[in-house]
Amino acid sequence: MEGLISSRENPTVKLCRRLRSSARERREEGLFLAEGVRLCREALSAFPGAGTLLATREALEKNPWLEEAPAARLLRITPEVAGAVSDTAAPQGVFYLCPLPEERDLPLEPRGRYLLLDGLQDPGNLGTIIRGAEAFGITGLVLSRECPDCFSPKVLRSTMGSVFRQPIRRCGDLAAEVHRMREAGIRTYAAALDPGGVGARALENCPEGLAVVVGNEGNGVSPRVLAACGAAVYIPMAPGIESLNAAAAATVLMWEMSGRSRRV
């Protein structure tokens, strides 16, 4: 373990602060910052020996495993530095500075289950969806370029580590991706408030590959992507309820999509 870092002007501390606040910095540096005991444990498991662990003395005393963690470096920091680096009101004093994973290929499986996100805006929604995708065995997530950065602090926290395991690909042209899926024989739907579409329960027994697009929180699926899908799926709701939160709607749809794999 190297010496104590007590200055906010330390180059590593300044780097951590830039990574915390800017997706552009994360892309340019090829790094991200995980914060908190649980998330750092997940990141260390996913990327052992790849990054730098930063921890306060108090955090090391509460979590002695940190000193044996498979990090390339372990730096001790003061609580004041931890507060400067942290994105939370009550920092746990543990951070893992790690290389961004390479963009993952997402091959299309004949009976795969895919969720596409069109212009999602809220980082918390995205994180919740990523966590749900892992829970329900979704084959892959495809994100439009307008979606939040998967390695922003809020998304990372919301995923609870699922972002390190769930196959995810960012796509420049979501409508083209829908066409690619349809050409591969994957049945593709846009989630919409359209009773003329199929009900969500119909997704449970689809024998072929299946993909559903969930749209922007305020505007839904964009017209071009909606036209590319060719069909809509809706979630029946009680009278008077206009719509569901994007993460809640995605969770219901993923539950129905995973119906075959849930049966034992």
Side-chain angles (χ1 to χ4, degrees):
M1 181 167 57
E2 302 181 27
L4 178 68
I5 297 177
S6 59
S7 171
R8 298 186 182 192
E9 299 305 310
N10 177 276
T12 301
V13 173
K14 292 172 76 172
L15 173 61
C16 289
R17 296 180 72 183
R18 294 198 307 272
L19 296 175
R20 178 196 69 188
S21 59
S22 169
R24 180 179 177 181
E25 288 286 343
R26 290 189 288 272
R27 289 193 301 270
E28 291 182 353
E29 296 289 346
L31 299 167
F32 74 94
L33 185 69
E35 176 180 358
V37 173
R38 178 168 180 171
L39 191 58
C40 286
R41 189 190 288 271
E42 295 278 7
L44 282 159
S45 177
F47 310 108
T52 298
L53 189 63
L54 299 92
T56 63
R57 178 176 58 83
E58 293 81 359
L60 291 169
E61 290 175 351
K62 290 180 180 178
N63 303 277
W65 63 269
L66 287 168
E67 298 202 55
E68 303 298 327
R73 300 167 68 199
L74 173 59
L75 303 176
R76 190 158 62 89
I77 58 176
T78 63
E80 291 73 24
V81 167
V85 173
S86 177
D87 186 60
T88 67
Q92 296 178 346
V94 181
F95 308 87
Y96 190 46
L97 179 61
C98 183
L100 282 171
E102 294 183 4
E103 183 76 20
R104 307 176 193 182
D105 188 26
L106 194 62
L108 299 182
E109 300 179 10
R111 296 188 179 183
R113 295 300 191 250
Y114 301 91
L115 187 76
L116 290 73
L117 303 179
D118 183 14
L120 213 69
Q121 292 182 318
D122 184 80
N125 280 342
L126 176 57
T128 300
I129 290 169
I130 292 171
R131 189 178 179 192
E134 184 187 22
F136 297 127
I138 297 301
T139 310
L141 287 175
V142 180
L143 280 55
S144 73
R145 65 164 65 94
E146 298 84 7
C147 291
D149 179 11
C150 292
F151 292 91
S152 70
K154 189 170 183 180
V155 175
L156 280 172
R157 284 197 302 274
S158 298
T159 70
M160 300 291 282
S162 290
V163 70
F164 304 136
R165 297 179 293 271
Q166 175 63 40
I168 302 170
R169 186 167 74 84
R170 194 169 288 271
C171 175
D173 188 340
L174 206 63
E177 183 69 11
V178 169
H179 284 301
R180 184 172 80 97
M181 289 184 168
R182 294 184 67 183
E183 288 173 358
I186 295 172
R187 189 179 296 184
T188 307
Y189 296 94
L193 300 173
D194 180 6
V198 303
R201 289 292 298 274
L203 302 178
E204 182 178 8
N205 296 309
C206 180
E208 59 263 76
L210 184 62
V212 174
V213 183
V214 173
N216 172 275
E217 289 89 344
N219 301 315
V221 178
S222 60
R224 183 165 173 263
V225 175
L226 183 63
C229 290
V233 61
Y234 75 97
I235 300 172
M237 291 178 283
I241 302 298
E242 182 179 344
S243 64
L244 291 174
N245 166 280
T251 299
V252 171
L253 293 166
M254 288 189 290
W255 167 260
E256 297 294 355
M257 291 167 70
S258 69
R260 291 179 302 122
S261 61
R262 291 200 310 267
R263 289 197 288 267
V264 178

